[in-house]
């Protein structure tokens, strides 16, 4: 891994693909055990979750279903109001739902998603996120059960995470060098 530059921002290697895959396998094993007889629905939050969810689902060996929602809560690097752009598209009443997120930082979009799912009368909501920024949380959650990596307030790209639509395709995660952002 080597450093990269995007729009005059420098990023250095942070979490390698192999580390990500090891963590995903462990999360998958735990989900397979805990949800063995529950037939959960995985709800991926687009666009950022696509790589994480694809790799996670390869480790899930229990009967399950999946769907996606698309939210928008960023304008450049600033967090804004959450907008739902694409809905679930299936009946979730009485179902065990596992929300799959790329990163939980402020928690605003996660809170929005959980409230929307609760209104659909789901049986349970469990959160599975690749990255968690505990210092950035503005809401408290008791159902974030699966966390790939806890990180500081770094601005990160790669493995589904983007900066202005760029770098989602990178297999590794990079963090901005001397980040002025507090995401």
């Amino acid at each position: 891994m080597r450093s990269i530059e995007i729009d005059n921002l420098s990023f250095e290697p942070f979490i390698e693909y192999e580390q990500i895959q090891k963590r995903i396998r462990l999360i998958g094993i735990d989900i397979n055990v805990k949800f063995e007889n529950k037939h959960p629905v995985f709800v991926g939050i687009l666009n950022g979750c696509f790589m994480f969810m694809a790799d996670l689902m390869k480790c899930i060996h229990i009967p399950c279903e999946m769907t996606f929602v698309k939210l928008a809560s960023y304008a450049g690097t600033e967090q804004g109001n959450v907008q739902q752009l694409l809905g679930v598209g299936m009946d979730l009443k009485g179902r065990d739902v596992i929300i799959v997120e790329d990163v939980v930082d402020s928690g605003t979009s996660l809170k929005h998603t959980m409230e929307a799912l609760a209104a659909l009368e789901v049986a349970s909501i469990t959160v599975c996120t690749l990255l968690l920024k505990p210092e950035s949380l503005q809401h408290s959650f008791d159902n974030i059960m699966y966390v790939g990596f806890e990180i500081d307030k770094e601005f990160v790209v790669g493995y589904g995470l983007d900066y202005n639509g760029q770098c989602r395709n990178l297999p590794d995660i990079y963090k901005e060098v001397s980040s002025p952002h507090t995401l």
Side-chain angles (χ1 to χ4, degrees), residues 25-40 42 59-63 98 146:
R25 282 192 295 276
L26 293 173
I27 291 170
I29 289 167
D30 201 23
I31 290 173
N32 286 326
V33 171
K34 288 190 177 151
F35 289 86
E36 183 176 16
N37 298 310
K38 296 194 177 199
H39 197 95
F42 290 81
C59 297
I60 301 300
H61 306 296
I62 56 172
I98 301 172
Y146 303 101

Side-chain angles (χ1 to χ4, degrees), residues 79 103-107 131-139 141 144 147 149-154 181-183:
Q79 293 181 335
V103 61
V104 175
D105 45 51
S106 74
L131 302 174
L132 176 66
K133 298 181 181 180
E135 294 176 22
S136 299
L137 283 173
Q138 297 174 7
H139 308 277
F141 301 97
I144 299 178
V147 177
F149 303 91
E150 283 191 11
I151 64 172
D152 292 327
K153 293 183 177 184
E154 283 99 1
H181 305 290
T182 54
L183 297 178

Side-chain angles (χ1 to χ4, degrees), residues 13-165:
F14 186 44
I15 305 172
E16 293 185 5
Y17 180 76
E18 290 75 22
Q19 287 178 273
I20 296 168
Q21 294 309 303
K22 285 178 188 174
R23 189 67 190 121
I24 290 172
R25 282 192 295 276
L26 293 173
I27 291 170
I29 289 167
D30 201 23
I31 290 173
N32 286 326
V33 171
K34 288 190 177 151
F35 289 86
E36 183 176 16
N37 298 310
K38 296 194 177 199
H39 197 95
V41 177
F42 290 81
V43 176
I45 310 301
L46 294 172
N47 287 336
C49 83
F50 80 99
M51 287 182 88
F52 176 45
M53 187 150 169
D55 287 342
L56 177 64
M57 297 312 297
K58 293 172 194 168
C59 297
I60 301 300
H61 306 296
I62 56 172
C64 64
E65 294 174 69
M66 64 182 123
T67 188
F68 297 89
V69 295
K70 184 167 184 171
L71 306 174
S73 64
Y74 287 95
T77 59
E78 298 298 317
Q79 293 181 335
N81 294 330
V82 176
Q83 295 178 303
Q84 184 170 317
L85 305 176
L86 175 70
V88 172
M90 66 187 295
D91 183 13
L92 296 177
K93 185 175 183 176
R95 301 293 302 271
D96 294 297
V97 173
I98 301 172
I99 298 171
V100 180
E101 277 271 23
D102 57 346
V103 61
V104 175
D105 45 51
S106 74
T108 300
S109 62
L110 179 59
K111 184 177 185 279
H112 172 85
T113 302
M114 289 174 53
E115 288 170 353
L117 288 170
L120 297 175
E121 300 178 29
V122 299
S124 70
I125 300 172
T126 300
V127 179
C128 175
T129 184
L130 177 63
L131 302 174
L132 176 66
K133 298 181 181 180
E135 294 176 22
S136 299
L137 283 173
Q138 297 174 7
H139 308 277
S140 80
F141 301 97
D142 59 4
N143 56 352
I144 299 178
M145 304 303 292
Y146 303 101
V147 177
F149 303 91
E150 283 191 11
I151 64 172
D152 292 327
K153 293 183 177 184
E154 283 99 1
F155 179 43
V156 292
V157 298
Y159 198 73
L161 302 150
D162 75 309
Y163 173 63
N164 288 338

